[in-house]
Amino acid sequence: MRLAELSERSGIPTATIKYYLREGLLPPGERVSATQAEYGEEHLRRLGLARALIQVGRVPVATARDVLSAIEDEGLDQGSRLSTAVEAVPGGRPSTAGPKEREAARSRVAELRERLGWQQVTTSCGQEALVEAVATLMQLGYPCALEDLLPYARLTGELAVHDVDMIERFAAPTTQLEAAVALTVLYEPVLLGLRRMAHAEESTRRYSGAPDGA
């Protein structure tokens, strides 16, 4: 297919495709003349993943280029490729906690992983985001003991099974990678919204109409 058809089928403007080509996010097409090239289905799949990383996941172009190279490594299995793609998505906000709280938070997260039997992943973006969040909780004096964190961890373990089941609905490995990035980004607001709705429901159930001190 020519560039115009690639643009039409992918839904990505030709100017953006040319930018992706210049930045190395998309491999060159097969030259058919001095000014035209042919593109195949692999280009279409690669475009979908690049769009998921950059437009949905807000991943910087340079990072997206590295991720796209990594997940094309034939030495990686599909699980490693999925992890690489999802890990590229930016995590939580940095904590203002000091070194003491961060060290304590890191120990708390390691203890949590051990209790759950989760494999230690020292380079995990998710783990670092969790450390930052727990460090902030410690700094501000809010509950974040192991027993406070375990219910969240167990529920997210169940959600992870559902997430991967949804990703496996897509047959092509590259499409699974695109879906992994997109669903990571798009379902986090779903989780936040549902949690807040559930809080409102539970607060109403407990306190609505109850007299002070009851």
Side-chain angles (χ1 to χ4, degrees), residues 123-139:
T123 58
S124 167
C125 176
Q127 176 172 287
E128 292 308 308
L130 179 58
V131 167
E132 293 290 310
V134 173
T136 300
L137 286 165
M138 288 180 171
Q139 179 190 32

Side-chain angles (χ1 to χ4, degrees), residues 33-209:
S33 72
T35 58
Q36 291 187 322
E38 282 283 346
Y39 302 92
E41 294 298 320
E42 182 57 35
H43 289 89
L44 192 62
R45 290 192 293 270
R46 179 72 172 260
L47 270 176
L49 183 53
R51 176 174 56 186
L53 285 166
I54 296 171
Q55 297 182 11
V56 180
R58 303 297 182 186
V59 174
V61 169
T63 303
R65 186 192 305 117
D66 293 341
V67 171
L68 289 168
S69 297
I71 61 179
E72 287 185 345
D73 183 351
E74 295 182 356
L76 295 177
D77 57 27
Q78 184 66 355
S80 298
R81 289 172 174 170
L82 285 169
S83 296
T84 299
V86 171
E87 283 295 312
V89 178
R93 300 174 181 176
S95 171
T96 58
K100 182 178 179 181
E101 287 88 358
R102 275 196 172 86
E103 183 179 353
R106 198 169 296 280
S107 297
R108 182 70 45 80
V109 171
E111 186 181 2
L112 179 67
R113 294 186 67 100
E114 184 177 357
R115 176 76 71 88
L116 295 165
W118 289 359
Q119 182 180 353
Q120 185 72 20
V121 183
T122 56
T123 58
S124 167
C125 176
Q127 176 172 287
E128 292 308 308
L130 179 58
V131 167
E132 293 290 310
V134 173
T136 300
L137 286 165
M138 288 180 171
Q139 179 190 32
L140 298 176
Y142 288 112
C144 58
L146 186 64
E147 297 306 319
D148 297 314
L149 297 171
L150 276 170
Y152 293 97
R154 287 169 177 148
L155 288 172
T156 53
E158 295 177 17
L159 285 172
V161 174
H162 180 63
D163 286 343
V164 178
D165 284 345
M166 284 200 297
I167 291 167
E168 288 182 344
R169 295 178 192 174
F170 299 90
T174 306
T175 309
Q176 288 183 356
L177 295 170
E178 177 186 348
V181 173
L183 293 177
T184 295
V185 174
L186 297 176
Y187 263 91
E188 286 185 352
V190 171
L191 291 174
L192 179 59
L194 286 171
R195 182 170 181 254
R196 292 186 179 185
M197 290 171 64
H199 279 185
E201 188 71 17
E202 179 63 13
S203 296
T204 300
R205 187 188 68 80
R206 289 196 190 193
Y207 308 120
S208 180

